[in-house]
Coordinates of all heavy atoms in Angstrom, one line a residue:
Chain A
H1055 N -4.7 -20.5 -8.5 CA -5.9 -19.8 -7.9 C -6.6 -20.9 -7.0 O -7.0 -20.6 -5.9 CB -6.8 -19.4 -9.0 CG -7.9 -18.5 -8.5 ND1 -8.9 -18.1 -9.4 CD2 -8.2 -18.1 -7.3 CE1 -9.9 -17.4 -8.7 NE2 -9.4 -17.4 -7.4
Q1056 N -6.8 -22.1 -7.5 CA -7.4 -23.1 -6.6 C -6.7 -23.3 -5.3 O -7.2 -23.4 -4.3 CB -7.5 -24.4 -7.5 CG -8.5 -24.3 -8.7 CD -8.3 -25.4 -9.7 OE1 -7.4 -26.3 -9.5 NE2 -9.0 -25.4 -10.8
L1057 N -5.4 -23.6 -5.5 CA -4.6 -23.9 -4.3 C -4.4 -22.8 -3.4 O -4.4 -23.0 -2.2 CB -3.2 -24.6 -4.8 CG -3.3 -25.9 -5.5 CD1 -1.9 -26.3 -6.0 CD2 -4.0 -26.9 -4.5
M1058 N -4.2 -21.6 -3.9 CA -4.1 -20.5 -2.9 C -5.3 -20.3 -2.2 O -5.3 -19.9 -1.0 CB -3.7 -19.2 -3.7 CG -2.3 -19.2 -4.3 SD -1.6 -17.6 -4.8 CE -0.9 -17.0 -3.2
T1059 N -6.4 -20.5 -2.8 CA -7.7 -20.3 -2.1 C -7.9 -21.5 -1.1 O -8.2 -21.3 0.1 CB -8.9 -20.3 -3.1 OG1 -8.6 -19.3 -4.1 CG2 -10.2 -20.0 -2.4
R1060 N -7.7 -22.7 -1.6 CA -7.8 -23.8 -0.7 C -6.9 -23.7 0.5 O -7.3 -24.2 1.6 CB -7.6 -25.1 -1.5 CG -8.8 -25.4 -2.4 CD -8.7 -26.8 -3.0 NE -8.5 -27.8 -1.9 CZ -7.9 -28.9 -2.0 NH1 -7.3 -29.3 -3.2 NH2 -7.8 -29.7 -1.0
A1061 N -5.6 -23.3 0.3 CA -4.7 -23.2 1.4 C -4.9 -22.1 2.3 O -4.1 -21.8 3.2 CB -3.3 -23.1 0.8
G1062 N -5.9 -21.3 2.0 CA -6.2 -20.2 2.9 C -5.3 -19.0 2.7 O -5.1 -18.3 3.7
M1063 N -4.6 -18.8 1.6 CA -3.7 -17.8 1.3 C -4.3 -16.5 0.8 O -3.9 -15.4 1.1 CB -2.6 -18.2 0.4 CG -1.9 -19.4 0.9 SD -0.4 -19.8 0.1 CE 0.3 -21.0 1.2
I1064 N -5.4 -16.7 0.1 CA -6.1 -15.5 -0.4 C -7.6 -15.8 -0.2 O -8.1 -16.9 -0.2 CB -5.9 -15.3 -1.9 CG1 -6.2 -16.4 -2.8 CG2 -4.4 -14.8 -2.1 CD1 -6.1 -16.2 -4.3
R1065 N -8.4 -14.7 -0.2 CA -9.8 -14.7 -0.2 C -10.3 -13.6 -1.1 O -9.9 -12.5 -1.0 CB -10.4 -14.6 1.2 CG -10.3 -15.8 2.1 CD -11.2 -17.0 1.6 NE -11.0 -18.1 2.5 CZ -10.2 -19.1 2.3 NH1 -9.4 -19.2 1.3 NH2 -10.2 -20.1 3.2
K1066 N -11.2 -14.0 -2.0 CA -11.7 -13.0 -3.0 C -12.7 -12.0 -2.3 O -13.6 -12.4 -1.6 CB -12.4 -13.7 -4.1 CG -13.0 -12.8 -5.2 CD -13.6 -13.7 -6.3 CE -14.3 -12.9 -7.3 NZ -14.7 -13.8 -8.4
L1067 N -12.5 -10.7 -2.5 CA -13.3 -9.7 -1.9 C -14.2 -9.2 -3.0 O -15.4 -8.8 -2.7 CB -12.6 -8.6 -1.3 CG -13.4 -7.7 -0.4 CD1 -13.9 -8.3 0.8 CD2 -12.4 -6.5 0.0
G1068 N -13.7 -9.2 -4.3 CA -14.5 -8.6 -5.3 C -13.8 -9.2 -6.6 O -12.7 -9.8 -6.5
A1069 N -14.2 -8.9 -7.8 CA -13.6 -9.2 -9.0 C -12.2 -8.8 -9.1 O -12.0 -7.5 -9.2 CB -14.5 -8.8 -10.2
G1070 N -11.2 -9.7 -9.0 CA -9.8 -9.3 -9.2 C -9.3 -8.6 -8.0 O -8.3 -8.0 -8.0
I1071 N -10.0 -8.7 -6.8 CA -9.6 -8.0 -5.6 C -9.6 -9.0 -4.5 O -10.6 -9.7 -4.2 CB -10.6 -6.9 -5.3 CG1 -10.6 -5.8 -6.4 CG2 -10.2 -6.2 -4.0 CD1 -11.5 -4.7 -6.2
Y1072 N -8.4 -9.2 -3.8 CA -8.3 -10.3 -2.9 C -7.8 -9.8 -1.5 O -6.9 -8.8 -1.5 CB -7.3 -11.3 -3.4 CG -7.8 -12.1 -4.6 CD1 -7.7 -11.5 -5.8 CD2 -8.6 -13.3 -4.4 CE1 -8.3 -12.2 -6.9 CE2 -9.1 -13.9 -5.5 CZ -9.0 -13.4 -6.8 OH -9.5 -13.9 -7.8
N1073 N -8.3 -10.3 -0.5 CA -7.6 -10.2 0.8 C -6.3 -11.2 0.8 O -6.5 -12.3 0.3 CB -8.5 -10.8 1.9 CG -9.6 -9.8 2.3 OD1 -9.3 -8.6 2.5 ND2 -10.8 -10.3 2.4
Y1074 N -5.2 -10.7 1.2 CA -4.1 -11.4 1.4 C -4.1 -12.0 2.8 O -3.9 -11.3 3.8 CB -2.8 -10.7 1.2 CG -2.7 -10.0 -0.2 CD1 -2.2 -8.8 -0.3 CD2 -3.2 -10.6 -1.4 CE1 -2.1 -8.1 -1.5 CE2 -3.2 -10.0 -2.6 CZ -2.6 -8.7 -2.6 OH -2.6 -8.0 -3.9
M1075 N -4.6 -13.2 2.9 CA -4.7 -13.8 4.3 C -3.3 -14.0 5.0 O -2.3 -14.1 4.3 CB -5.6 -15.1 4.1 CG -6.9 -14.9 3.6 SD -8.0 -13.9 4.6 CE -8.4 -15.0 5.8
P1076 N -3.4 -14.2 6.2 CA -2.1 -14.4 7.0 C -1.2 -15.4 6.2 O 0.0 -15.0 6.2 CB -2.5 -14.8 8.4 CG -3.8 -14.2 8.5 CD -4.5 -14.3 7.2
M1077 N -1.7 -16.5 5.8 CA -0.7 -17.5 5.3 C -0.2 -17.0 4.0 O 1.0 -17.3 3.6 CB -1.5 -18.9 5.1 CG -0.7 -20.1 4.7 SD 0.3 -20.6 6.1 CE -0.9 -21.5 7.0
G1078 N -0.9 -16.3 3.1 CA -0.5 -15.8 1.9 C 0.5 -14.6 2.1 O 1.4 -14.5 1.4
L1079 N 0.1 -13.8 3.0 CA 0.9 -12.5 3.3 C 2.4 -13.0 3.6 O 3.3 -12.2 3.2 CB 0.3 -11.7 4.3 CG 1.0 -10.4 4.6 CD1 1.0 -9.5 3.3 CD2 0.3 -9.6 5.8
R1080 N 2.5 -14.1 4.4 CA 3.9 -14.5 4.7 C 4.7 -14.7 3.5 O 5.8 -14.4 3.4 CB 3.9 -15.7 5.6 CG 3.3 -15.4 7.0 CD 3.3 -16.7 7.8 NE 4.7 -17.0 8.3 CZ 5.2 -16.6 9.3 NH1 4.6 -15.8 10.2 NH2 6.5 -17.0 9.7
V1081 N 4.0 -15.4 2.5 CA 4.8 -15.6 1.2 C 5.1 -14.3 0.5 O 6.3 -14.1 0.1 CB 4.0 -16.5 0.3 CG1 4.7 -16.8 -1.1 CG2 3.7 -17.9 0.9
I1082 N 4.1 -13.4 0.5 CA 4.3 -12.2 -0.3 C 5.4 -11.4 0.5 O 6.3 -10.8 -0.2 CB 3.0 -11.3 -0.2 CG1 2.0 -12.0 -1.1 CG2 3.2 -10.0 -0.6 CD1 0.5 -11.5 -1.0
Q1083 N 5.4 -11.4 1.7 CA 6.5 -10.7 2.6 C 7.9 -11.2 2.3 O 8.9 -10.5 2.3 CB 6.1 -10.6 4.1 CG 4.9 -9.6 4.3 CD 4.5 -9.5 5.8 OE1 4.8 -10.6 6.5 NE2 4.0 -8.5 6.2
K1084 N 8.0 -12.6 2.1 CA 9.3 -13.2 1.8 C 9.7 -12.8 0.4 O 10.9 -12.5 0.2 CB 9.2 -14.7 2.0 CG 9.1 -15.1 3.5 CD 9.3 -16.6 3.7 CE 9.2 -16.9 5.3 NZ 9.4 -18.2 5.5
V1085 N 8.8 -12.7 -0.5 CA 9.1 -12.3 -1.9 C 9.6 -10.8 -1.7 O 10.7 -10.5 -2.4 CB 7.9 -12.4 -2.8 CG1 8.2 -11.8 -4.2 CG2 7.5 -13.9 -3.0

Side-chain angles (χ1 to χ4, degrees):
Chain A
H1055 186 187
Q1056 292 162 2
L1057 290 176
M1058 290 193 87
T1059 305
R1060 287 189 53 211
M1063 300 197 167
I1064 57 173
R1065 284 293 181 264
K1066 185 174 170 175
L1067 190 65
I1071 298 176
Y1072 293 86
N1073 284 311
Y1074 306 141
M1075 300 296 288
M1077 192 69 80
L1079 184 60
R1080 290 182 74 89
V1081 176
I1082 291 167
Q1083 288 179 333
K1084 288 191 181 183
V1085 171

